[in-house]
Amino acid sequence: MDCRVGPVHISPEEITLSLSAQASAMASQSSPLTTHVLDTASGIPARGLCLQLFRLEDRGQHWTELRKSYTDPDGRCPGLLTPGQMKPGIYKLFFDTENYWKERGQESFYPYVEIVFTVAKETQKFHVPLLLSPWSYTTYRGS
């Protein structure tokens, strides 16, 4: 399913149940890739933000979707990949910011945020935070 299809109305309970199932599945393994989204306009975690993870395949010709998920109540999405899924290459995190802000009755400038980054070694861990407001965003490589 594509985050950009349109607003998806998911109750906080559904998000919590879905994320609990994801957390349980990932509990036995530590994910080499995590993200954390903070709503800096409100000063709170960005709960329920739809995101997708892609890897560039076919010598730079095609993005393959690896995962679709939603941020948890703390704005985190801890288990994006299992250690065995991580391999060197170019990855992209897509954040559906338009629907996130619409669900909060807020106009915004950016309909989505895409963060493209390179993984040189599959043994490294990557944390990709996103600081988000309706009019700006910031990202960096976290630890």
Side-chain angles (χ1 to χ4, degrees):
M1 183 173 172
D2 188 340
C3 289
R4 295 168 286 182
V5 169
V8 176
H9 300 287
I10 300 173
S11 72
E13 294 78 20
E14 290 174 301
I15 291 170
T16 302
L17 287 173
S18 173
L19 293 170
S20 294
Q22 291 174 17
S24 295
M26 298 298 293
S28 62
Q29 301 180 26
S30 176
S31 178
L33 176 62
T34 57
T35 189
H36 188 196
V37 186
L38 296 173
D39 176 341
T40 58
S42 302
I44 59 174
R47 175 185 187 158
L49 175 64
C50 183
L51 61 102
Q52 293 169 277
L53 174 66
F54 299 87
R55 183 172 43 230
L56 193 59
E57 305 287 353
D58 302 326
R59 298 178 190 205
Q61 300 298 312
H62 176 72
W63 287 104
T64 299
E65 183 176 332
L66 302 175
R67 180 89 191 259
K68 177 185 173 190
S69 192
Y70 293 87
T71 54
D72 67 14
D74 193 36
R76 296 179 185 274
C77 192
L80 289 170
L81 290 176
T82 62
Q85 289 178 298
M86 181 71 91
K87 64 181 183 179
I90 298 174
Y91 290 77
K92 172 173 64 174
L93 278 169
F94 170 92
F95 297 88
D96 182 10
T97 56
E98 181 175 44
N99 284 324
Y100 174 79
W101 293 116
K102 277 184 181 177
E103 289 174 359
R104 283 148 186 79
Q106 174 68 53
E107 190 180 327
S108 70
F109 185 66
Y110 298 102
Y112 59 89
V113 171
E114 289 184 328
I115 303 171
V116 179
F117 57 98
T118 301
V119 171
K121 297 178 184 176
E122 66 270 5
T123 57
Q124 292 180 296
K125 291 194 179 263
F126 295 86
H127 182 63
V128 185
L130 176 62
L131 306 178
L132 184 63
S133 87
W135 316 114
S136 67
Y137 66 90
T138 302
T139 188
Y140 55 95
R141 181 172 177 190
S143 57

